[in-house]
């Protein structure tokens, strides 16, 4: 079992490359679209692909609206109409998700892959107690009777580090703080005993100490259970501490995918560079992210004798004719590139 | 503790509202153009006759004195005397209220028990044929002219098919009303084990209830549908799905109760509307309720009767709202446990 090191230093962790173990999750060419105002389908996630090894943790970062949540939802078959998965495939534990029947999806959700959400308090049913929430999961996934399920619920609250668990068991969601609600969500997820956790900005809106407590809890659980993690976040500091690899998204595209250390050390895509430039300035006070002013527009990339350009998705308009490709610039380090013109193969 | 405070506060608020309504009714009848005394005296009465009537009605006294008398009377439950019936208004209203209440409750049940499932069904099948049909029905039901619809019902069910009793009153002439316990014939008949009266009362209720039930169904359908859509799009439904709960389980366990809670308000508004009595339906079916009574009072300038009617409706509204708030506080932990 791969061991996760808390507070991973900025050092490559080659043992965790996805090629070494059969992937737990495989996303290929995933395209999710919603009808735009003129009622044509417009893609919000476009040709996204990555894979995840068991026990690995992958960060999904990118500006607001870049399609992180939609990617995650599509992975559990939770894309909500009128949205639709237009193309691609998602495999979890070898089972195809795209186009799978409701009963197949139900077998995978929770028991194979579970998700925790951005706003934990609204993710709990306001009319049910915490005990109801947890024991329901135990009844569904472990087939326990009501009393045993309640006992397990109490034990789970202790496990996720809740103080005064007996009281919390009887509490309603509106009586919980955001941090407590997220612990309950984590407890519900854990009660399903999944192999993969997708955490969609699990600490947004929580204050800093609570944030680090929640991440510490997730790390402990990972170390204990070997759970693989997809962490969606805006916070690159959190990523550096918690994740083996980073996937950067812009405008629905995956633009760069690399081991954490490699990405921090030698990001190649202009968007990633901008993202890093706006955050990693130890010499300066933290600055608001200004993603509109490009640091650079494009980065020339030399790969196996071919010339490529990594171009910010914003600056693509003129290049519609050429299909971008994920180019492996270093082992495990992929950058979305356009071929350098002039090029022989015109469309 | 907090809940008790909340309820006490709500009760206080209801009392204040009632006092406001009582004052408003008093000043409305004094301030509005048209002098009750001259109306009562008739168009051709002499000035002396008018003054005598005004004196008899206490209208010659200063307003504060009038107000005191008026308040004193109301507190004693004296709403004055109807010029039309010559009876105390209170007695008139009390004898007619049960007819309206019975009609209102049955109509509410029909509207809610058909409307809510239709709305939920449409929401769960959003965008389907069912949804489209239900939405068309919502528009149709709301737009149906009540008067015409009532007549069509009578024509078909009584005249053509002969399966409904004659549209006159609450019971056939030959059937004596059950002993008055609640005043609702169906309930009283059940309580006294009088099956013939029960069946007959139900048969008489059927058509007016159908008319009013259909007329008040649309808000239930609309609110149930939109509340259900909101809830189905909520984070906690998504979270429940993400944990592997089936669609059916999510609907029954998570969505339904949350969606239905908002329908209490609709039920309150509709019941308030129904309890005010419906002139059209009560007229068509010769239903001896307060709507018909109020209509007669209005057209006959029967001031005490109008005042009494308005006050009764106001009291009903205030208590209905109180009851709805109490129901919310019992059902919704966010209110119960603040
Ligand atoms: N129901 C919907 N209808 C239409 N467009 C939608 C819908 N839901 C999401 N989108 C679009 O999909 C795009 C991606 O949304 P997504 O929620 O995945 O972004 P995100 O990267 O998670 O952003 P954030 O960091 O703000 O959570 C957005 O541009 C959004 O406008
Ligand atoms: Mg998101």
């Amino acid at each position: 079992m791969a061991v996760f090191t808390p507070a991973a230093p900025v050092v490559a962790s080659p043992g965790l490359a996805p090629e070494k173990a059969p992937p737990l999750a495989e996303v290929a060419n995933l395209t999710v679209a919603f009808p735009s105002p003129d009622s044509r389908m417009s893609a919000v996630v476009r040709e996204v692909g990555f894979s995840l090894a068991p026990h690995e943790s992958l960060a999904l970062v990118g500006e607001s609206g870049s399609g992180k949540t939609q990617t995650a939802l599509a992975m559990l078959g939770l894309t909500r109409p009128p949205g639709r998965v237009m193309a691609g495939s998602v495999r979890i534990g070898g089972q195809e998700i795209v186009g799978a029947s409701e009963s197949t999806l139900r077998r995978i959700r929770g028991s194979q892959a579970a998700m925790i959400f951005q706003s934990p308090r609204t993710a709990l049913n306001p009319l049910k107690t915490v005990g109801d929430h947890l024991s329901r999961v135990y009844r569904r996934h472990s087939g326990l009777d009501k009393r045993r399920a309640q006992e397990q619920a109490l034990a789970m609250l202790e496990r996720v580090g809740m103080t005064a668990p007996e009281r919390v068991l009887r509490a309603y969601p509106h009586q919980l703080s955001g941090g407590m609600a997220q612990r309950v969500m984590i407890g519900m997820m854990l009660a399903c005993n999944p192999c993969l956790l997708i955490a969609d900005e699990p600490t947004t809106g929580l204050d800093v100490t609570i944030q680090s407590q929640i991440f510490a809890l997730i790390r402990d659980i990972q170390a204990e259970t070997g759970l693989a993690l997809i962490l969606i976040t805006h916070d690159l500091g959190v990523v550096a501490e918690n994740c083996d690899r980073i996937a950067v998204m812009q405008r629905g595209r995956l633009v760069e995918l690399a081991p954490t250390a490699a990405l921090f050390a030698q990001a190649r895509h202009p968007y990633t560079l901008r993202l890093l430039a706006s955050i990693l300035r130890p010499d300066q006070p933290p600055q608001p992210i200004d993603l509109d002013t490009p640091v650079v527009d494009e980065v020339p990339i030399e790969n196996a004798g071919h010339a490529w350009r990594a171009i910010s998705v914003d600056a693509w308009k003129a290049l519609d004719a050429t299909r971008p490709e994920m180019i492996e610039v270093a082992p495990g380090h992929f950058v979305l590139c356009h071929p350098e013109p002039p090029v022989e193969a015109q469309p | 503790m907090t809940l008790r405070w909340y309820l006490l506060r709500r009760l206080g608020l209801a009392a204040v509202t009632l006092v406001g309504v009582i004052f408003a009714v008093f000043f409305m009848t004094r301030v509005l153009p048209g002098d009750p005394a001259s109306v009562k005296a008739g168009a051709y009465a002499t000035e002396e006759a008018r003054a005598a009537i005004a004196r008899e009605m206490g209208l010659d006294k200063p307003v504060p004195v009038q107000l005191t008398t008026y308040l004193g009377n109301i507190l004693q439950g004296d709403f004055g005397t109807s010029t039309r019936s010559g009876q105390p208004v209170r007695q008139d209203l009390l004898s007619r209220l049960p007819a309206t209440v019975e009609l209102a409750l049955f109509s509410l049940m029909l509207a809610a028990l058909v409307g809510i499932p239709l709305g939920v069904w449409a929401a769960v099948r959003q965008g389907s044929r069912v949804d489209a049909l239900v939405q068309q029905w919502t528009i149709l039901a709301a737009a149906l002219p009540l008067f015409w619809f009532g007549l069509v019902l009578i024509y078909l069910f009584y005249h053509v098919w002969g399966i409904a009793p004659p549209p006159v009153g609450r019971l056939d002439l030959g059937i004596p009303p059950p002993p008055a316990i609640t005043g609702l014939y169906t309930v009283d008949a059940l309580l006294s084990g009088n099956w013939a009266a029960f069946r007959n009362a139900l048969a008489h209720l059927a058509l007016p209830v159908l008319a009013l039930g259909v007329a008040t169904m649309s808000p239930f359908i609309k609110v149930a549908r939109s509340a259900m859509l909101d809830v189905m799009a909520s984070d906690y439904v998504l979270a429940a799905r993400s944990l592997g709960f089936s669609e059916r389980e999510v609907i029954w366990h998570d969505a339904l109760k949350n969606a239905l809670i908002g329908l209490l308000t609709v039920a309150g508004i509709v019941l308030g509307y129904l309890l005010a009595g419906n002139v059209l339906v009560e007229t068509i079916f010769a239903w001896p309720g307060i709507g018909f009574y109020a209509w007669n009072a209005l057209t006959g300038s029967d001031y005490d009767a109008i005042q009494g009617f308005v006050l009764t409706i106001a009291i009903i509204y205030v208590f209905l709202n109180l009851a709805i708030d109490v129901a919310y506080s019992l059902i919704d932990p966010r209110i119960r446990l603040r």
Side-chain angles (χ1 to χ4, degrees):
Chain A
M1 184 197 287
V3 182
F4 178 73
T5 18
V10 187
V11 164
S13 32
L16 294 170
E19 295 79 23
K20 299 288 159 68
L24 174 65
E26 252 186 314
V27 177
N29 193 34
L30 182 68
T31 301
V32 180
F34 277 89
S36 54
D38 61 8
S39 86
R40 274 194 326 218
M41 296 299 272
S42 79
V44 299
V45 173
R46 215 181 266 266
E47 295 161 11
V48 165
F50 57 86
S51 68
L52 193 72
H55 321 307
E56 196 193 3
S57 54
L58 172 74
L60 209 52
V61 301
E63 68 201 321
S64 191
S66 56
K68 306 182 294 291
T69 300
Q70 289 303 331
T71 304
L73 290 175
M75 288 184 70
L76 288 180
L78 286 170
T79 303
R80 199 178 278 156
R84 213 145 56 83
V85 175
M86 305 294 284
S89 126
V90 175
R91 286 176 165 275
I92 292 182
Q95 172 68 51
E96 178 63 54
I97 299 289
V98 176
S101 69
E102 194 60 31
S103 66
T104 307
L105 289 176
R106 231 183 305 147
R107 270 204 318 280
I108 286 169
R109 292 177 191 153
S111 11
Q112 293 279 327
M115 189 162 170
I116 58 178
F117 297 88
Q118 217 158 345
S119 44
R121 295 183 62 183
T122 59
L124 297 172
N125 185 336
L127 302 183
K128 308 275 177 187
T129 63
V130 168
D132 291 340
H133 278 94
L134 281 165
S135 58
R136 178 185 178 208
V137 176
Y138 278 114
R139 296 222 297 274
R140 160 83 174 75
H141 281 273
S142 317
L144 298 183
D145 64 38
K146 210 167 173 152
R147 204 179 48 82
R148 291 273 310 285
Q150 282 282 338
E151 288 166 12
Q152 290 295 312
L154 189 66
M156 180 52 82
L157 285 182
E158 276 163 15
R159 183 169 169 204
V160 296
M162 197 76 88
T163 45
E166 287 90 358
R167 220 189 50 218
V168 173
L169 204 61
R170 287 190 307 271
Y172 286 92
H174 73 278
Q175 298 171 306
L176 305 177
S177 70
M180 289 160 91
Q182 195 57 282
R183 282 178 199 271
V184 173
M185 279 305 299
I186 292 173
M188 286 168 72
M189 173 280 291
L190 269 182
C192 303
N193 205 12
C195 316
L196 168 64
L197 168 62
I198 304 175
D200 187 359
E201 304 190 39
T203 60
T204 318
L206 304 183
D207 69 44
V208 183
T209 43
I210 308 292
Q211 280 190 17
S212 52
Q213 283 174 17
I214 295 288
F215 281 120
L217 174 64
I218 293 178
R219 272 203 302 271
D220 288 349
I221 289 168
Q222 258 196 309
E224 208 177 299
T225 63
L227 191 72
L229 174 71
I230 294 180
L231 177 65
I232 298 175
T233 181
H234 288 283
D235 188 341
L236 282 174
V238 161
V239 172
E241 272 182 39
N242 290 284
C243 298
D244 306 319
R245 286 191 301 151
I246 304 184
V248 182
M249 287 186 74
Q250 184 192 14
R251 297 282 178 92
R253 298 265 184 184
L254 190 61
V255 294
E256 191 155 9
L257 175 66
T260 304
L263 194 98
F264 278 105
Q266 359 166 277
R268 303 296 290 277
H269 195 275
Y271 178 73
T272 316
L273 291 170
R274 226 187 298 165
L275 210 58
L276 291 173
S278 60
I279 299 162
L280 297 179
R281 292 270 184 81
D283 51 322
Q284 282 176 17
Q287 293 191 341
I289 305 178
D290 182 8
L291 293 170
D292 293 331
T293 2
V295 180
V296 278
D297 254 338
E298 52 175 273
V299 176
I301 285 171
E302 204 28 58
N303 189 269
H306 291 279
W308 301 84
R309 294 182 296 163
I311 305 173
S312 170
V313 177
D314 296 318
W316 270 16
K317 298 248 160 26
L319 293 165
D320 273 348
T322 56
R323 262 175 79 86
E325 281 175 46
M326 285 300 261
I327 300 301
E328 190 164 15
V329 296
H333 186 165
F334 297 85
V335 183
L336 189 68
C337 295
H338 286 272
E340 182 85 66
V343 76
E344 297 83 11
Q346 286 294 336
Chain B
M1 301 111 285
T2 39
L3 178 65
R4 191 172 310 158
W5 264 115
Y6 168 74
L7 291 181
L8 273 178
R9 222 182 50 221
R10 230 14 228 89
L11 205 62
L13 207 63
V16 171
T17 317
L18 265 187
V19 170
V21 168
I22 290 173
F23 276 79
V25 168
F26 174 81
F27 283 108
M28 236 148 59
T29 37
R30 316 289 131 161
V31 169
L32 287 180
D35 163 25
S38 30
V39 174
K40 198 168 181 179
Y44 304 105
T46 60
E47 180 51 31
E48 286 77 38
R50 199 204 65 81
I53 287 174
R55 213 171 311 119
E56 187 193 314
M57 292 172 80
L59 292 173
D60 56 334
K61 306 224 175 63
V63 170
V65 177
Q66 286 184 38
L67 182 61
T68 322
T69 322
Y70 165 83
L71 286 178
N73 286 344
I74 284 178
L75 284 183
Q76 291 167 35
D78 178 2
F79 287 4
T81 306
S82 161
T83 45
R84 255 182 94 92
S85 69
Q87 304 266 7
V89 170
R90 190 173 92 130
Q91 195 183 315
D92 277 353
L93 285 172
L94 280 182
S95 70
R96 282 150 195 279
L97 203 53
T100 296
V101 169
E102 189 166 39
L103 186 56
L105 290 180
F106 275 92
S107 306
L108 179 77
M109 274 201 298
L110 177 67
L113 292 184
V114 177
I116 295 173
L118 276 183
V120 169
W121 193 28
V124 171
R125 301 237 184 289
Q126 189 195 7
S128 70
R129 275 266 289 285
V130 169
D131 188 18
L133 278 176
V134 169
Q135 300 224 55
Q136 278 160 21
W137 167 243
T138 313
I139 296 169
L140 183 73
L144 221 51
L146 197 48
F147 187 72
W148 172 84
F149 185 48
L151 289 179
V152 167
L153 289 180
I154 291 173
Y155 177 72
L156 291 178
F157 286 89
Y158 171 62
H159 186 76
V160 178
W161 298 325
I163 49 179
V168 185
R170 304 168 71 188
L171 284 174
D172 281 351
L173 277 176
I175 297 183
I181 303 166
T182 60
L184 312 184
Y185 283 180
T186 46
V187 177
D188 292 349
L190 269 187
L191 289 177
S192 58
N194 186 345
W195 289 103
F198 178 71
R199 269 201 307 273
N200 194 247
L202 272 188
H204 276 264
L205 274 166
L207 295 188
V209 162
L210 192 56
L212 281 173
V214 167
T216 53
M217 192 176 286
S218 297
F220 284 101
I221 302 178
K222 274 192 215 157
V223 175
R225 181 177 177 277
S226 75
M228 195 67 187
L229 284 179
D230 282 355
V231 171
M232 291 304 282
S234 70
D235 287 357
Y236 54 86
V237 162
L238 181 65
R241 283 187 183 136
S242 80
L243 289 168
F245 292 103
S246 68
E247 203 56 24
R248 188 201 193 94
E249 208 175 332
V250 167
I251 290 172
W252 281 99
H253 185 279
D254 295 289
L256 219 47
K257 196 173 170 195
N258 277 288
L260 295 192
I261 229 174
L263 283 162
L264 266 179
T265 306
V266 178
I269 293 171
V270 168
L271 187 58
Y273 164 81
L274 288 169
L275 283 177
N278 190 288
V279 184
L280 290 177
V281 170
E282 291 189 0
T283 308
I284 301 171
F285 293 93
W287 198 261
I290 59 172
F292 197 33
Y293 180 75
W295 173 249
N296 281 336
L298 259 179
T299 49
S301 292
D302 192 346
Y303 276 81
D304 283 354
I306 296 171
Q307 265 187 26
F309 172 76
V310 172
L311 272 179
T312 307
I313 299 305
I315 292 169
I316 289 176
Y317 266 89
V318 167
F319 279 99
L320 206 54
N321 273 318
L322 185 65
I324 301 267
D325 280 357
V326 171
Y328 268 118
S329 67
L330 292 179
I331 299 173
D332 192 336
R334 285 163 292 187
I335 302 175
R336 175 159 36 100
L337 300 171
R338 309 185 262 214

